[in-house]
């Protein structure tokens, strides 16, 4: 019997459980593969004793509708830069990939499916280069992986953000206020852009188009109509003013990336400092966008990704990532998938259409 290990790494995302279920269901149609889940990304296999769980059809029954991941996850302790305490008490970052490959092999695993975003797929590639048979599945609400039309989790995040946006519109209208709603997305403005179009925002601010505060104020004033109107703004967490800086904090020890968040307060303060008289209120949607049950579209693509990932394992096609490209499911090399970040194209159809709808990007 061959043993497959499945791990979910980085931030969680609606649809992770549907991928796990897809892998297990497809594997159960074969005689010679059994599936195991690794707890908290690769932590489960790095610990002694290892923390893994046998995943059979019973273990995954009905989980495709559940948010989060039954395996748990973490965005700390990247094995490529593992924080190791030295004798003198200092922390040194070490590459534990060769050791990790050894751990997989000595524990009898024959292949891995790693479900994760760009950071996790960089780990997949390092494992593959070190001799581990790896298949990747693209996960993230940010939709920032360039090789796939959509990552699973993105549609759910957009739906959650749009539902919240709709609620903010009615209260903005009642009180004649300017509402700023901050969404996630890291350095890509996809969630903000889709939400702004779906919700009918007046202003959408994204990292790819640094905003001119005067242009933002001009748009607000044209709609605010001396206190008789109202304005709804969607701002991506990675957005910034022209010549400004990104709003971020260092975050917890062991993280490899900075922590974004709070830009709606930065913008609110900028508007006040510029003398805007309107009542401004800020809403940070935060992790509501990552939680809860996946919408149907995400369940579908996550389930298909799971099946296709297992089929890559069965075919011995390792070092590859399953993708949805041009409305079809296929795969690309993980190396290719992580080589380019998926930014919103300021000249692309979506931004131009949003402008056609009267949405200002502050440019
Ligand atoms: O990558 C997904 C994401 O939700 C980003 O949109 C956000 O910046 C980040 O993760 C938040 O990470 P954490 O949950 O560690 O605060």
């Amino acid at each position: 019997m061959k043993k497959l290990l499945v791990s979910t790494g980085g931030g969680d995302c609606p649809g992770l459980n549907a991928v796990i279920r897809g892998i297990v269901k497809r594997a159960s149609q074969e005689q010679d593969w059994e599936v195991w889940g690794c707890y908290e990304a690769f932590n489960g296999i790095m610990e002694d004793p290892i923390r893994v769980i046998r995943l059979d059809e019973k273990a995954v029954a009905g989980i495709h509708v559940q948010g989060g991941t039954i395996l748990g996850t973490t965005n700390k302790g990247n094995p490529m830069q593992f924080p190791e305490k030295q004798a003198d008490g200092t922390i040194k970052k070490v590459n534990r990939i060769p050791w990790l490959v050894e751990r997989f092999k000595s524990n009898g695993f024959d292949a891995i499916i790693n479900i994760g975003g760009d950071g996790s797929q960089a780990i997949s590639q390092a494992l593959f280069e070190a001799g581990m048979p790896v298949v990747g599945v693209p996960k993230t609400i940010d939709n920032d992986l360039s090789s796939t039309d959509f990552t699973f989790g993105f549609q759910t995040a957009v739906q959650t953000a749009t539902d919240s946006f709709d609620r903010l519109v009615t209260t903005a209208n009642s009180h004649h206020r300017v509402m700023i709603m901050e969404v996630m997305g890291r350095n890509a403005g996809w969630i903000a852009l889709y939400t702004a179009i779906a919700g009918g925002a007046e202003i959408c601010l994204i990292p790819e188009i640094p905003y001119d505060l005067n242009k933002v104020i001009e748009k607000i004033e044209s709609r605010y109509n001396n206190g008789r109107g109202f304005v709804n703004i969607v701002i991506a967490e990675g957005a910034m003013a022209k010549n400004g800086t990104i709003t971020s904090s260092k975050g917890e020890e062991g993280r490899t990336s900075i922590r974004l968040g709070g830009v709606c307060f930065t913008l609110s303060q900028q508007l006040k400092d510029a003398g805007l008289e309107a009542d401004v209120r800020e809403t940070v949607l935060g992790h509501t966008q990552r939680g809860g049950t996946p919408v149907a579209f995400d369940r579908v693509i996550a389930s298909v990704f799971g099946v296709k990932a297992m089929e890559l394992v069965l075919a011995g096609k390792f070092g590859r990532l399953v993708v949805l490209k041009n409305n079809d499911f296929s795969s690309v090399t993980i190396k290719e998938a992580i080589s380019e970040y998926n930014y919103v194209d300021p000249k692309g159809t979506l931004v131009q259409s949003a402008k056609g709808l009267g949405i200002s990007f502050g440019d």
Side-chain angles (χ1 to χ4, degrees), residues 75 140-142 184-186 237 255 259-260 287 290:
N75 53 12
T140 169
I141 62 165
D142 304 336
M184 284 184 165
R186 290 209 72 79
E237 61 180 2
R255 280 180 79 106
R259 192 167 166 196
L260 302 183
H287 293 78
R290 288 228 312 250

Side-chain angles (χ1 to χ4, degrees), residues 89-354:
T90 57
I91 303 280
K92 192 177 161 202
K93 301 229 165 123
V94 294
N95 178 6
R96 294 188 87 182
I97 292 286
W99 173 84
L100 193 52
V101 172
E102 215 22 67
R103 296 278 296 170
F104 287 126
K105 293 191 171 161
S106 60
N107 281 286
F109 290 104
D110 298 284
I112 304 172
I113 294 181
N114 189 20
I115 313 167
D118 54 351
S120 303
Q121 297 314 336
I123 298 170
S124 298
Q125 179 61 19
L127 287 171
F128 178 64
E129 284 171 13
M132 197 65 210
V134 185
V135 166
V137 179
K139 165 240 68 165
T140 169
I141 62 165
D142 304 336
N143 203 37
D144 56 359
L145 279 163
S146 60
S147 53
T148 185
D149 293 342
F150 292 110
T151 52
F152 68 86
F154 170 65
Q155 299 287 344
T156 305
V158 169
Q159 191 60 56
T160 302
T162 303
D163 292 344
S164 301
F165 183 88
D166 292 348
R167 291 169 190 279
L168 289 171
V169 168
T170 61
T171 169
N173 192 353
S174 307
H175 286 268
H176 304 295
R177 281 179 169 153
V178 174
M179 293 291 188
I180 310 174
M181 187 179 90
E182 176 180 321
V183 297
M184 284 184 165
R186 290 209 72 79
N187 303 106
W190 293 109
I191 300 176
L193 178 57
Y194 270 72
T195 303
I197 295 174
E202 280 72 43
I203 299 169
C204 175
L205 303 176
I206 59 175
E208 294 86 346
I209 308 178
Y211 60 87
D212 175 337
L213 190 66
N214 293 325
K215 293 274 168 55
V216 175
I217 292 174
E218 243 171 60
K219 179 73 180 180
I220 292 175
E221 285 177 343
S222 74
R223 289 278 313 189
Y224 191 61
N225 195 14
N226 289 322
R228 288 189 294 278
F230 64 97
V231 179
N232 283 87
I233 303 174
V234 182
I235 187 164
E237 61 180 2
M240 70 196 109
K242 273 185 186 158
N243 308 319
T245 50
I246 205 157
T247 306
S248 67
S249 53
K250 185 174 170 284
E252 304 88 359
E253 199 53 60
R255 280 180 79 106
T256 39
S257 56
I258 55 166
R259 192 167 166 196
L260 302 183
V263 69
C264 68
F265 300 106
T266 306
L267 174 63
S268 179
Q269 193 58 49
Q270 288 168 342
L271 293 172
K272 255 174 232 144
D273 292 347
L276 188 85
E277 284 182 3
D279 263 2
V280 181
R281 291 290 186 273
E282 311 84 9
T283 304
V284 182
L285 287 193
H287 293 78
T288 59
Q289 296 157 94
R290 288 228 312 250
T293 185
V295 297
F297 184 82
D298 281 335
R299 290 183 205 180
V300 173
I301 62 168
S303 299
V304 178
F305 278 163
V307 169
K308 289 288 169 198
M310 188 62 218
E311 286 176 351
L312 286 177
V313 171
L314 296 175
K317 292 188 176 167
F318 295 106
R320 301 191 74 80
L321 183 87
V322 291
V323 295
L324 171 64
K325 202 70 188 168
N326 303 325
N327 214 19
D328 195 16
F329 291 89
S330 54
S331 69
V332 295
T333 64
I334 297 172
K335 195 172 184 184
E336 181 189 338
I338 57 176
S339 65
E340 214 182 308
Y341 191 80
N342 183 23
Y343 291 106
V344 169
D345 177 2
K347 294 196 170 68
T349 310
L350 272 184
V351 170
Q352 294 311 314
S353 302

